[in-house]
Amino acid sequence: MVIKRVQRFFYAEVVRTARISPSLVRVVFSGDGLPDYTSNGTADECVSLYFPGDGEDRPPAMTEKEGDWAYHDIDEPEHRNYTVRSWDATAKEMSIDFVAHEGGIAATWALTAAPGDVIGLWGPRGWYDPPTGTRWQLLVADLTGLPALSRAIEELPDGFPVRAIVEVLDEGDKIPIETNADLSIEWLIGGNGQGPSRLADAVRDEPLPDGPLYVWFAGEAAASRAVRKYLRTERGLSNAQFETIGYWRVRAEEWLHKYEAVEDRLHSEYQQLIDAGVDEADAENRWEDMLEEAGL
Ligand SMILES: Cc1cc2nc3c(=O)[nH]c(=O)nc-3n(C[C@H](O)[C@H](O)[C@H](O)COP(=O)(O)OP(=O)(O)OC[C@H]3O[C@@H](n4cnc5c(N)ncnc54)[C@H](O)[C@@H]3O)c2cc1C
């Protein structure tokens, strides 16, 4: 279930960048617009980043109509979703960690970002929402989910038992996570577009304790679907006990091509569910099933 609260458009200016591991580039933003940013407080707080087009030094700004910030009157520029790794409300600085993968407007932009560059930012949203009374957590991610996973673990109370499984590409990507929680972490090397992900199998191998627990997964869409199915149908977890989010897709271009052929039909089926009052989480489960049935 998406956690929204106030969502707005901001301009964000690059202050500095750093290669924090072989696969991750950290970009720190500030600038005139950002002081008004308000965190939604979720560990997987996400913003949509809008990139300048050819010949532009910044993307066009969104406008607000009746509280809704959007590109109401012009085409929406290219955008991608990224996690707020940290928001320093005193210094008014936001850090975002980008996976330095081949191709893609966002990864390419991050690899060449320099102080003074400006992008647009809309948000925030979030999904990580353990129910009150949760006594144990399993957090699973690839490189794209590592920023949110790290933030979730850092923010857990002292001594809270948490198990983490993270798939990275290089030994150097095993970035230490500072926490007073009772953390047990397993690092896998592979996946992340360089080979098949082992995360879904790792989740299957993981014993889940009795009692109130919460599972959160962020990574490649096919792995996310496999984990969601396993938790829902084989482990019988309730919608509130887990969240699985596909952060990206292997060979996204091929998928998009196939998706566009069935998009209208699937959207109208989904809308019928919502109109019939189906719970948002159940509708999301059904949406995943519909995609799978369509070979997507
Ligand atoms: C809620 C949310 C939070 C996210 N947080 C982060 C974050 O903090 N850091 C982060 O790096 N990503 C994050 N992502 C994932 C990011 O949005 C995608 O990886 C996005 O597709 C990257 O855009 P791009 O323009 O670089 O590549 P695209 O134009 O989308 O894709 C170009 C090509 O690269 C491939 N590709 C895309 N992403 C990857 C990848 N990670 N590894 C290998 N190949 C890839 C595609 O299959 C395609 O072939 C998040 C996604 C969501 C939904």
Side-chain angles (χ1 to χ4, degrees):
M1 178 96 72
V2 63
I3 303 159
K4 289 184 183 147
R5 310 213 178 107
V6 184
Q7 293 169 323
R8 282 193 47 195
F9 178 84
F10 305 87
Y11 277 121
E13 183 176 328
V14 177
V15 183
R16 57 188 176 276
T17 70
R19 190 86 181 203
I20 58 166
S21 86
S23 306
L24 289 168
V25 177
R26 176 163 296 166
V27 180
V28 181
F29 298 92
S30 190
D32 289 348
L34 219 42
D36 292 332
Y37 182 80
T38 308
S39 168
N40 69 6
T42 55
D44 60 353
E45 179 170 357
C46 155
V47 286
S48 298
L49 304 183
Y50 289 83
F51 299 92
D54 289 342
E56 291 176 345
D57 64 353
R58 59 179 62 196
M62 284 185 184
T63 52
E64 191 245 317
K65 282 189 186 169
E66 294 166 9
D68 179 26
W69 286 84
Y71 288 99
H72 292 285
D73 306 312
I74 54 171
D75 289 344
E76 190 172 36
E78 287 273 9
H79 61 281
R80 301 287 186 270
N81 294 316
Y82 279 83
T83 303
V84 177
R85 175 65 183 87
S86 65
W87 165 243
D88 181 336
T90 308
K92 309 290 182 197
E93 287 190 348
M94 178 184 290
S95 297
I96 294 183
D97 294 348
F98 292 78
V99 176
H101 67 89
E102 289 276 318
I105 188 168
T108 306
W109 178 88
L111 282 164
T112 56
D117 289 352
V118 175
I119 60 172
L121 182 158
W122 174 86
R125 287 175 294 162
W127 292 264
Y128 170 87
D129 190 20
T132 308
T134 298
R135 302 286 287 277
W136 183 87
Q137 291 188 30
L138 171 63
L139 308 179
V140 184
D142 66 11
L143 277 164
T144 59
L146 180 55
L149 176 141
S150 303
R151 191 172 150 180
I153 293 170
E154 285 166 3
E155 293 175 2
L156 282 172
D158 289 4
F160 189 96
V162 54
R163 171 81 170 145
I165 308 173
V166 188
E167 191 168 52
V168 295
L169 277 175
D170 191 286
E171 287 292 326
D173 294 324
K174 297 179 178 178
I175 299 171
I177 302 171
E178 286 184 25
T179 183
N180 291 322
D182 179 10
L183 170 66
S184 139
I185 189 163
E186 178 182 1
W187 296 92
L188 306 174
I189 302 281
N192 291 289
Q194 303 289 316
S197 172
R198 287 192 285 145
L199 286 176
D201 287 341
V203 171
R204 279 187 165 275
D205 291 344
E206 198 60 37
L208 300 183
D210 291 334
L213 58 84
Y214 182 71
V215 183
W216 175 92
F217 175 97
E220 202 279 323
S224 171
R225 177 183 292 162
V227 170
R228 174 191 286 248
K229 242 180 155 172
Y230 166 70
L231 296 174
R232 184 163 60 113
T233 55
E234 292 186 47
R235 301 303 306 224
L237 297 195
S238 68
N239 289 331
Q241 284 182 297
F242 72 95
E243 193 65 64
T244 63
I245 312 146
Y247 269 20
W248 66 285
R249 273 177 205 288
V250 168
R251 293 186 297 282
E253 299 79 2
E254 285 170 32
W255 185 92
L256 194 63
H257 186 66
K258 280 169 79 178
Y259 174 70
E260 279 166 355
V262 292
E263 183 179 9
D264 290 346
R265 176 175 65 78
L266 295 188
H267 269 286
S268 108
E269 283 178 32
Y270 181 81
Q271 194 54 48
Q272 281 170 23
L273 293 174
I274 299 296
D275 293 346
V278 171
D279 168 82
E280 195 182 320
D282 285 333
E284 274 176 38
N285 289 332
R286 182 65 198 121
W287 173 255
E288 280 297 326
D289 292 343
M290 289 191 300
L291 288 176
E292 195 172 13
E293 285 154 19
L296 287 159

